[in-house]
Amino acid sequence: MEGEDGVSEVVHGFAGAKFCAINEIRMIERAPAGRRLARVLSSTPLSPRATLVRFQVDGAYSYAAGQFVQVQFGAGPEAYYSFASAPDRSRPAEFELCVATFERPELTRALEAAENVTISEPLGGVPFSIDDSPLWLFGIGTGVAPLRAIIQARSNRLQGVSLIVGHKDSQNSLFHGEFEELLKQGLDYRPFVSQELGQWQFGRGRIQEEARRLLSEAAPSLAQARAVVVGNQAMVGSIAALLTSAGLTSSQIHQEGY
């Protein structure tokens, strides 16, 4: 359908997210060995610092929530991104990534031009079932993206899932509207901001303190708990240390640091 500015809009994804479609898409004829061709279907800013990009792969492409992929835009450097969406059976060759464009302005230019993209096969993965409960998801910044994919994969089975996320401020609180809607379905959503100057009805500060509160609340179920922690190395290390000191083993904790 047409937006107010005359640009086609595509409504797709979790919670009916809206994307601005890119009209001209160029593809190279052949990917290098071990790589796959992909094209940018849509791109929309999530915040001043991040953009959600939807891709379509040339041919069938199978991945799981919690995995990541190596991406190369045109002739630019390769980079790794976690999948920000769960597999969709109705669109098996498509997926979303959350790209931190503020760190690499050349990516913004590449997305605007819909440049050629090559990707690897899916990499990594969570070493336990994401259907386990209780499931604790900790993330900051763009590290929230793979947690979104896990929540999508859980679909309507959100009882027992705690999502504790941290951002700089409300303007940079990624997927906040989606997650807030899922409170109605049982998601235990606990967002925090560390530098918010305006009004904010949720938590303030860093998520480490909330991790301590969660552990004290969940003491009887620690043996069954599983945790996924994604963010910068310092945050991941501190949360993992808290979980370990509370009694969780390394097999119960999946860490992704960047």
Side-chain angles (χ1 to χ4, degrees):
M1 62 183 177
E2 293 290 316
E4 294 180 355
D5 56 0
V7 177
S8 297
E9 292 177 342
V10 179
V11 177
H12 179 70
F14 205 55
K18 185 179 288 186
F19 304 88
C20 179
I22 295 176
N23 295 320
E24 293 186 5
I25 300 174
R26 300 193 302 270
M27 292 188 65
I28 55 180
E29 295 181 358
R30 184 176 302 169
R35 308 284 293 181
R36 302 287 299 278
L37 290 175
R39 59 177 177 170
V40 176
L41 291 181
S42 58
S43 172
T44 191
L46 291 173
S47 74
R49 303 163 66 87
T51 299
L52 188 68
V53 186
R54 188 166 192 86
F55 297 86
Q56 184 179 60
V57 184
D58 183 19
Y61 192 73
S62 178
Y63 73 96
Q67 289 190 294
F68 61 95
V69 63
Q70 187 185 63
V71 181
Q72 183 174 25
F73 293 89
E78 297 174 338
Y80 292 92
Y81 297 96
S82 296
F83 291 104
S85 59
D88 184 344
R89 291 182 180 179
S90 66
R91 303 187 181 197
E94 298 181 17
F95 60 85
E96 292 171 347
L97 302 179
C98 182
V99 179
T101 45
F102 80 100
E103 294 176 336
R104 297 179 58 189
E106 72 275 11
L107 291 184
T108 301
R109 294 190 292 271
L111 292 173
E112 290 173 349
E115 288 189 359
N116 302 323
V117 180
T118 60
I119 63 171
S120 69
E121 295 295 338
L123 303 167
V126 178
F128 46 75
S129 172
I130 60 172
D131 289 322
D132 290 343
S133 293
L135 180 64
W136 302 335
L137 307 175
F138 300 90
I140 61 172
T142 55
V144 174
L147 308 184
R148 176 186 187 245
I150 290 172
I151 288 170
Q152 287 187 5
R154 293 271 305 216
S155 186
N156 296 321
R157 307 180 308 279
L158 296 179
Q159 293 289 341
V161 179
S162 294
L163 174 64
I164 302 176
V165 299
H167 296 284
K168 177 182 177 182
D169 51 35
S170 58
Q171 193 177 23
N172 288 284
S173 186
L174 305 183
F175 310 113
H176 176 66
E178 290 185 16
F179 296 147
E180 193 173 14
E181 281 295 311
L182 294 176
L183 287 167
K184 304 171 186 176
Q185 298 182 30
L187 177 66
D188 177 22
Y189 175 46
R190 310 185 191 189
F192 285 77
V193 292
S194 59
Q195 300 179 39
E196 178 61 49
L197 299 178
Q199 293 185 343
W200 174 253
Q201 69 182 74
F202 296 93
R204 293 176 182 265
R206 302 192 181 278
I207 66 173
Q208 284 84 346
E209 286 303 315
E210 192 62 23
R212 292 187 179 92
R213 278 190 285 271
L214 176 65
L215 288 167
S216 65
E217 296 167 5
S221 58
L222 290 179
Q224 290 76 42
R226 301 291 184 270
V228 179
V229 189
V230 189
N232 61 48
Q233 295 283 359
M235 169 269 184
V236 169
S238 64
I239 295 292
L242 287 171
L243 297 173
T244 302
S245 65
L248 272 71
T249 65
S250 59
S251 64
Q252 293 175 269
I253 307 169
H254 176 63
Q255 306 176 49
E256 288 185 23
Y258 53 78

